[in-house]
Amino acid sequence: MLGHYLKLSFRNIRRSLGYSLVNILGLSIGVCSFLILLLYLNYELSYDRWHPDLERVAKVSLLENEDVLNSTQAPLAALLREKASVVESATNLSRDENFETPLSTPEKRIVQKGTIAADSLFFKVFPYEIIAGERNGPLNRPNTVVISENIAKKLFGNESPIGKSIKFFNALDCEVTAVMKEATGPGHMNVEIVFRNPNEKNNYHWGNYSYLTYIKTKPAVKRGDVEATIAKIFYEERLKTKHNNKSYAEFSVSGPQEGLFLDFVHDIHNFPRYGSSNIKTVSILIVLAAMLLIAGTINFSNLSIAAALPRAKEIGVKKVLGSSQKRLFWHFMGEVAIQCGIAFTIAALLLYLALPYFNQQFNVNLSLLKNGITYTIAVQLFLSFIVVVILSGLYPAIFLTRFNTTKVLKGDYSRGKNGVVFRNALIVLQFVVATFFIYSVVVVTKQLDYMQTRDKGFSGEQILRIQAYKMSTREEGFNALQSRLMQIKGVESVSKSTKIPGDKFIDTTTVAFKAEGNLYRMSSVKVSKDFFKTLDINLDQGRLFDDSYADQHTRSAIINQTAANKLGYKNGKQSSIAFPDCDSIPLQVVGVVEDFNVLGMEQEIQPTVFTIGNEACMFQSGGAILVKINGGDINGTVKSIRAAWKDIEPDFDMKYSFLNDDFQQFFATHIRLQRIVSFFGITAIVISLIGLFALTAFLIGQRRKEISVRRVLGADLVDLGLLLGKNYIRLIILAVVIAVPVSWWIAGKWLDGFAYRIDLSAWLFGLSAIGILVAVAGTVGIHIIRVSRVNISDDLRDE
């Protein structure tokens, strides 16, 4: 019996091959798009879930008035370890895993990302598997390092690295005590190398906020209990005196203005308590995927309903011969399941072709067969298949099996208005999806164009960002470096800054500056005299830095417009500010520069204080060297700078990039989103138009005799266009009306994530509506023109 049903199913597919191919192809495209984004969702939600123990690992951060401090005090980990009964272990570490650390052995020299400086308890908190060397306490001794299999192969080939030495920055020698296995899934930290922090003792004080603190909770402890416990301990030990010895209960009711909070590591990537999250982009992509799947299934249902009439007599005969409605229902659902199975097979082939492009665009490694999610993916694929079969086949199967036997055997295939109304509802829903996609493409493109063309407040044209690995290069050796580079032909200016526009990770921590007895939290940036000249930043009030003693020894400051507005600074006003706890060394505000964007368009420009030197109670270093070159011979100038750099930092290869390229990285996520939305938007529109094309061909084909009669009676092309196209245009106008408020709301929510954004306007919706109407009119118009040119006698010959 099963073989008989399969034979009938394939025969019916072959009988209406054109409609079946359109059906299957449209569904395949929708399913393929859905599967890609389903894999991506699995990838995003798998962050820091590669080991069960990570469920108990949390990052400790500090809320301090207006600031969220990811970096915490050096002794915090020890305090929580000793005082918190809910904490099994705690570690502090310093990391910039995207910084390329110079590593060397006697045989090799490389630069490597993923370097972590940690204390001896790192491996008590993070469950990395040690596969060679010391398994218990590999970082117990000073100057020790644990490396990944990847680094072991890079530096030592097939030899055992245990006991051998690696030099960091060509200065710090560390002995390899163990090799660890890399994480089997993505994580918020990229860890390739963990070495014992050599400055632990020197930096171990509560004034040092340069460490990240992680804890591992004891089993079966509730998250809320952990946070409440550590917050109370921190208040009692560190904040109580500051808050007039209030009890913790009294302090708590006054609001969370200060204290510790937790982010469990598997929430950091997608659901952090503060800061940016990737889940918004993921959510948008999942909505798009679901809509594409809906578009494909609606397309399938519409074409199945349209093709139902030729099979009406078959159904009537089967009912006369004893087939029940239930049996016919399952037979047609079986046909749908077969077509959906073919569609999923084609979708898998399309997925194989599309995944490399998607992986490259989003910098991920998606695969259906990736270890660790195979079972999950299999279950999701099965459930997706069931849902697609139900959505695609339920109504067509009911529609087909409920034909009246007597009527269809007499040649009356009419089903009344109900079937038409439902089919039209599906068409409207399909074009609501298509309209939403068009509008999404327009909004994302306009916002991206706005971000890229908006004045940044500085010029990054032909400016090199050079990484200086030695602090001495950036500090006491800077004047010599500047003098050397200025001798090179093509170099216009050389400067430095601790905060560089375009850097991927920028410290947004603010400092409580004191001005006229009040505290103002502002960002502190160390620069050199020519910084503003190098970036072409405009002066608004006062003057720029010069070679005076006050400027060069942190007695003068320049602020940006946002800071000036915050302080109420006006031109000519004698105003001074001071670093925290440093009233004895006031800084005279000598100038105001126009605001310039450092953090991208998602965040507002911070109020900022610029100073030179480190002679006012607060030491800051880092950042990079900025070199502005003219457009004569860029390659030749860069080559000369690289040659000079061999004398400046002979132990390191010069690492450089162009500032404009670095700043463009802020837009990378949005550019990828634009490409994906555009691709899936075009896909959804094509699916809708293909379905409409086939459906229109079928329905107009049923009215060919009526059309021929009207032509005999004098109807021209315009009359036929109004007759056959008006219903479709009405449906599309209804779809646009429904899509407008939904699209407006979703677009507004997405744009709320930008500090600098476009305004939504009616013309954006008008453009989307015109686009979909033109596409539909063209699709229907092709059939109207075709039927208006056929030979009338061929259609009327049998009458």
Side-chain angles (χ1 to χ4, degrees):
M1 184 63 72
L2 180 61
H4 174 69
Y5 279 138
L6 288 173
K7 186 183 294 184
L8 286 177
S9 298
F10 281 110
R11 185 181 296 166
N12 286 320
I13 292 172
R14 188 171 63 251
R15 186 182 299 160
S16 54
L17 188 60
Y19 289 106
S20 297
L21 287 177
V22 171
N23 248 353
I24 292 170
L25 183 60
L27 192 57
S28 298
I29 295 172
V31 168
C32 176
S33 303
F34 178 77
L35 292 181
I36 289 176
L37 297 182
L38 183 65
L39 289 175
Y40 185 56
L41 176 64
N42 277 280
Y43 177 85
E44 289 294 327
L45 296 180
S46 68
Y47 266 75
D48 292 299
R49 295 183 184 274
W50 46 269
H51 195 283
D53 283 359
L54 288 171
E55 294 284 335
R56 298 191 283 130
V57 178
K59 180 184 176 184
V60 184
S61 300
L62 179 61
L63 185 64
E64 192 175 85
N65 298 316
E66 299 176 19
D67 277 337
V68 175
L69 305 181
N70 290 314
S71 296
T72 54
Q73 302 100 318
L76 180 60
L79 173 68
L80 299 180
R81 210 165 41 236
E82 295 167 7
K83 300 283 187 176
S85 59
V86 293
V87 173
E88 181 178 292
S89 187
T91 184
N92 63 29
L93 56 95
S94 57
R95 87 175 213 258
D96 183 357
E97 66 264 30
N98 285 287
F99 182 80
E100 294 185 336
T101 304
L103 306 172
S104 60
T105 66
E107 293 79 24
K108 280 192 178 179
R109 186 168 71 177
I110 63 172
V111 290
Q112 181 62 47
K113 294 182 180 181
T115 301
I116 306 290
D119 63 18
S120 61
L121 297 176
F122 178 86
F123 290 98
K124 296 291 184 182
V125 174
F126 290 94
Y128 287 94
E129 181 185 353
I130 301 296
I131 56 176
E134 297 179 23
R135 285 174 169 77
N136 295 318
L139 296 177
N140 283 349
R141 292 179 285 117
N143 294 80
T144 52
V145 61
V146 178
I147 61 177
S148 68
E149 292 177 281
N150 174 46
I151 302 302
K153 189 165 290 186
K154 275 187 179 181
L155 289 175
F156 302 102
N158 295 323
E159 297 179 11
S160 172
I162 306 301
K164 295 184 177 178
S165 178
I166 297 177
K167 185 171 286 190
F168 291 74
F169 296 98
N170 204 36
L172 175 66
D173 275 307
C174 288
E175 178 191 350
V176 179
T177 56
V179 176
M180 65 180 176
K181 189 175 182 180
E182 287 99 340
T184 55
H188 76 287
M189 276 197 305
N190 169 34
V191 181
E192 294 276 1
I193 304 161
V194 186
F195 69 96
R196 181 72 179 272
N197 193 328
N199 299 313
E200 281 181 4
K201 292 183 179 180
N202 296 335
N203 295 332
Y204 196 80
H205 55 86
W206 284 100
N208 182 3
Y209 281 75
S210 61
Y211 288 93
L212 300 179
T213 301
Y214 286 83
I215 63 170
K216 185 176 185 180
T217 67
K218 290 181 178 178
V221 177
K222 294 181 180 179
R223 291 189 181 190
D225 293 342
V226 177
E227 187 162 85
T229 300
I230 67 170
K232 184 176 181 180
I233 290 172
F234 186 73
Y235 176 77
E236 296 288 347
E237 296 289 331
R238 300 296 308 164
L239 302 177
K240 191 170 184 177
T241 304
K242 178 181 176 182
H243 290 276
N244 299 320
N245 290 315
K246 289 181 182 178
S247 69
Y248 181 67
E250 291 175 319
F251 171 75
S252 298
V253 297
S254 62
Q257 70 273 19
E258 196 169 12
L260 301 181
F261 67 91
L262 295 180
D263 278 303
F264 279 80
V265 292
H266 53 248
D267 293 333
I268 290 175
H269 182 70
N270 291 309
F271 308 104
R273 295 274 290 276
Y274 298 93
S276 61
S277 168
N278 200 44
I279 197 64
K280 182 180 287 189
T281 299
V282 175
S283 300
I284 291 172
L285 294 180
I286 294 304
V287 169
L288 300 185
M291 287 186 166
L292 270 174
L293 196 61
I294 289 171
T297 54
I298 290 174
N299 189 62
F300 190 101
S301 294
N302 271 340
L303 291 178
S304 297
I305 293 169
L309 290 181
R311 301 189 62 184
K313 193 166 289 186
E314 170 198 339
I315 296 164
V317 171
K318 285 184 176 180
K319 283 188 174 182
V320 169
L321 295 176
S323 291
S324 66
Q325 185 171 320
K326 182 179 179 181
R327 173 178 272 181
L328 288 171
F329 172 83
W330 287 112
H331 170 64
F332 289 121
M333 285 298 289
E335 286 188 13
V336 170
I338 290 172
Q339 293 189 49
C340 289
I342 296 172
F344 265 75
T345 302
I346 296 173
L349 296 175
L350 295 175
L351 184 67
Y352 176 78
L353 298 174
L355 269 184
Y357 172 78
F358 191 88
N359 286 338
Q360 180 184 17
Q361 288 297 312
F362 277 81
N363 193 28
V364 293
N365 186 22
L366 305 183
S367 171
L368 272 173
L369 303 177
K370 190 172 183 180
N371 293 333
I373 62 170
T374 305
Y375 173 76
T376 303
I377 289 295
V379 172
Q380 292 172 352
L381 286 175
F382 177 75
L383 293 176
S384 299
F385 178 77
I386 297 299
V387 170
V388 169
V389 170
I390 293 173
L391 292 177
S392 301
L394 186 60
Y395 183 76
I398 294 173
F399 182 89
L400 284 167
T401 56
R402 293 181 65 184
F403 275 119
N404 185 285
T405 306
T406 304
K407 286 185 177 181
V408 297
L409 292 179
K410 288 181 179 180
D412 181 5
Y413 305 148
S414 173
R415 285 298 316 276
K417 293 184 178 180
N418 290 337
V420 174
V421 169
F422 189 80
R423 184 191 67 214
N424 289 344
L426 292 179
I427 292 174
V428 169
L429 181 57
Q430 191 172 30
F431 279 93
V432 166
V433 173
T435 304
F436 171 77
F437 270 108
I438 290 178
Y439 185 67
S440 299
V441 171
V442 172
V443 170
V444 172
T445 302
K446 289 294 294 180
Q447 175 63 18
L448 183 61
D449 181 65
Y450 172 77
M451 291 193 299
Q452 291 179 309
T453 57
R454 185 180 187 274
D455 183 16
K456 302 188 294 290
F458 70 92
S459 173
E461 293 289 337
Q462 298 172 182
I463 295 179
L464 285 183
R465 178 201 188 281
I466 303 177
Q467 181 63 56
Y469 288 110
K470 292 181 178 180
M471 184 183 296
S472 59
T473 305
R474 301 187 301 268
E475 300 301 327
E476 61 269 20
F478 175 74
N479 290 335
L481 175 151
Q482 184 182 44
S483 177
R484 175 68 185 275
L485 295 184
M486 287 297 294
Q487 296 174 15
I488 297 173
K489 182 181 178 181
V491 173
E492 292 187 0
S493 65
V494 179
S495 62
K496 65 176 181 176
S497 174
T498 56
K499 187 178 286 189
I500 307 294
D503 278 5
K504 189 172 183 181
F505 293 101
I506 296 178
D507 184 12
T508 57
T509 303
T510 56
V511 174
F513 285 92
K514 193 170 185 179
E516 298 182 354
N518 298 315
L519 294 179
Y520 299 90
R521 299 202 69 87
M522 297 182 286
S523 176
S524 174
V525 179
K526 298 293 183 180
V527 298
S528 61
K529 182 189 72 171
D530 294 328
F531 172 73
F532 303 108
K533 172 187 172 184
T534 303
L535 293 184
D536 287 334
I537 296 169
N538 294 326
L539 178 68
D540 182 61
Q541 302 176 38
R543 65 173 177 85
L544 296 178
F545 289 127
D546 56 31
D547 291 321
S548 65
Y549 180 90
D551 286 5
Q552 295 299 320
H553 293 83
T554 328
R555 298 297 185 272
S556 304
I558 290 175
I559 58 178
N560 64 358
Q561 286 178 321
T562 301
N565 294 337
K566 191 168 188 174
L567 294 171
Y569 178 87
K570 295 181 180 178
N571 199 15
K573 176 184 177 182
Q574 294 295 314
S575 180
S576 63
I577 57 178
F579 281 96
D581 303 318
C582 202
D583 293 7
S584 60
I585 310 178
L587 310 176
Q588 188 69 36
V589 177
V590 298
V592 178
V593 292
E594 292 183 0
D595 285 336
F596 60 98
N597 200 301
V598 177
L599 303 172
M601 300 299 167
E602 286 90 347
Q603 301 182 50
E604 292 184 351
I605 295 172
Q606 288 184 310
T608 306
V609 177
F610 300 94
T611 53
I612 296 176
N614 280 300
E615 299 178 31
C617 307
M618 183 175 174
F619 182 84
Q620 290 176 264
S621 188
I625 308 300
L626 299 174
V627 180
K628 185 172 185 178
I629 57 181
N630 61 36
D633 180 14
I634 295 177
N635 291 333
T637 304
V638 172
K639 186 176 180 181
S640 298
I641 294 173
R642 294 186 68 169
W645 199 261
K646 290 181 180 179
D647 296 329
I648 297 168
E649 288 193 349
D651 297 327
F652 311 106
D653 295 329
M654 188 179 88
K655 176 176 171 51
Y656 71 93
S657 58
F658 283 92
L659 201 62
N660 263 0
D661 295 338
D662 292 341
F663 198 82
Q664 191 69 15
Q665 292 177 3
F666 284 137
F667 311 126
T669 300
H670 307 299
I671 291 173
R672 289 195 296 263
L673 180 62
Q674 181 202 28
R675 290 173 180 171
I676 295 298
V677 171
S678 299
F679 172 76
F680 288 141
I682 292 170
T683 302
I685 294 164
V686 168
I687 290 174
S688 300
L689 292 180
I690 288 175
L692 184 64
F693 186 87
L695 183 62
T696 306
F698 184 87
L699 296 179
I700 290 179
Q702 287 189 308
R703 301 179 66 179
R704 286 183 61 171
K705 285 186 174 64
E706 174 194 347
I707 293 168
S708 296
V709 170
R710 290 179 181 275
R711 288 176 62 196
V712 169
L713 296 176
D716 58 14
L717 182 61
V718 175
D719 296 323
L720 293 176
L722 292 173
L723 173 69
L724 301 174
K726 62 183 179 181
N727 288 332
Y728 294 108
I729 300 301
R730 287 173 184 166
L731 294 176
I732 304 312
I733 291 175
L734 178 59
V736 170
V737 170
I738 295 172
V740 163
V742 176
S743 302
W744 186 290
W745 181 77
I746 293 176
K749 286 292 183 183
W750 180 70
L751 289 171
D752 284 344
F754 298 91
Y756 307 98
R757 47 165 284 184
I758 61 171
D759 293 322
L760 295 175
S761 55
W763 76 267
L764 293 176
F765 290 102
L767 183 64
S768 305
I770 291 171
I772 199 72
L773 286 171
V774 168
V776 170
T779 303
V780 177
I782 292 172
H783 292 301
I784 294 173
I785 293 173
R786 185 172 60 84
V787 297
S788 69
R789 293 181 177 179
V790 298
N791 192 325
I792 297 176
S793 60
D794 291 339
D795 288 335
L796 300 179
R797 187 172 296 155
D798 294 333
E799 294 296 328

